[in-house]
Amino acid sequence: MKFHSRLQVQENELLPLKQNEIFDYFSHFTFGPEIENGKPAPDIFLIACKKTAFQKHETLILEDSQSGIQAALAADIPVICVPDMKEPHEDFLSKNEEVLSSLHAVIEWLEIQNSLSK
């Protein structure tokens, strides 16, 4: 059996953000070892909100999985789906703020939303 340190888990989770050059857009991170109940329970997102000064309606979750979308919806936090290997069922995709093809598309979407709110 192979065990991973907490630091290894964090580095593995942050790698896609660094590879896609969007790591600097995030101020806080929450990782699986910090929570009691995994997805589709909303725990990870509720704990992440507690780490910040933001309310749930002021945050946005980026998710690639059906269980992650379920967790975001259970936490009552807006979610964008960026499908990875397996696209979530249509019932879940229709409940997202948006379904985008890449993390770069998320940046573009956020910039558009920001310009619309001015």
Side-chain angles (χ1 to χ4, degrees):
M1 183 179 286
K2 187 174 183 180
F3 294 94
H4 297 283
S5 73
R6 185 174 185 184
L7 183 58
Q8 286 173 315
V9 169
Q10 291 175 356
E11 282 303 312
N12 289 340
E13 295 296 320
L14 297 175
L15 187 60
L17 301 177
K18 292 176 180 178
Q19 289 174 330
N20 287 283
E21 301 175 356
I22 63 170
F23 176 82
D24 293 336
Y25 287 86
F26 296 87
S27 60
H28 297 81
F29 299 93
T30 303
F31 300 96
E34 298 176 59
I35 62 163
E36 185 174 328
N37 300 302
K39 298 172 189 173
D43 300 23
I44 193 163
F45 300 130
L46 297 174
I47 289 170
C49 282
K50 286 181 183 177
K51 288 182 175 184
T52 71
F54 297 105
Q55 300 297 314
K56 293 190 295 184
H57 70 277
E58 298 173 308
T59 63
L60 179 66
I61 295 172
L62 306 179
E63 255 307 329
D64 65 347
S65 71
Q66 188 165 305
S67 62
I69 293 168
Q70 286 176 292
L73 295 172
D76 195 30
I77 300 173
V79 59
I80 287 180
C81 179
V82 183
D84 190 19
M85 297 186 297
K86 181 182 177 192
E87 189 162 310
H89 190 273
E90 179 60 36
D91 291 345
F92 292 96
L93 292 177
S94 65
K95 296 176 183 176
N96 291 276
E97 296 294 313
E98 192 71 55
V99 178
L100 300 171
S101 61
S102 70
L103 294 174
H104 290 288
V106 172
I107 294 170
E108 293 171 12
W109 185 87
L110 289 169
E111 289 171 347
I112 291 169
Q113 298 307 307
N114 188 39
S115 68
L116 293 174
S117 67
K118 290 183 179 181

